[in-house]
Amino acid sequence: MARPSLPQKSVVVRVALFLRPGEDDDLIEFFASIPVDLRASALKLALRSGKMQVNLAELAELPSDDDIEESLDNLLG
């Protein structure tokens, strides 16, 4: 059964996770245990049930999306 239409538009957030065996085994097992068509719902449930706190100091050390895009453009020439 399809979900009913809502009067407002949905917000789309695209996520791609690159999980590494040996580092992310718990997450690999989590996603492997869920049917593909239910993964978005399972991810939303997991996010809602956990603490979604972000350490801004740690994030500040990561490259920005623009820096990554520029590096890829330079690499691909």
Side-chain angles (χ1 to χ4, degrees):
M1 178 179 215
R3 292 171 63 178
S5 296
L6 296 174
Q8 66 273 20
K9 289 186 178 184
S10 297
V11 175
V12 178
V13 177
R14 301 215 185 272
V15 176
L17 299 174
F18 295 86
L19 304 175
R20 296 177 182 212
E23 290 180 29
D24 302 313
D25 293 338
D26 56 337
L27 297 176
I28 292 169
E29 184 178 333
F30 170 75
F31 284 108
S33 70
I34 301 166
V36 174
D37 59 335
L38 294 177
R39 287 183 179 170
S41 295
L43 182 57
K44 288 192 287 186
L45 180 63
L47 289 170
R48 288 184 175 127
S49 66
K51 293 181 181 177
M52 293 187 291
Q53 296 178 338
V54 176
N55 183 333
L56 295 178
E58 289 178 10
L59 284 180
E61 296 175 14
L62 297 174
S64 70
D65 290 350
D66 291 337
D67 291 341
I68 293 171
E69 185 177 347
E70 181 180 338
S71 294
L72 286 172
D73 286 344
N74 291 336
L75 179 66
L76 298 174

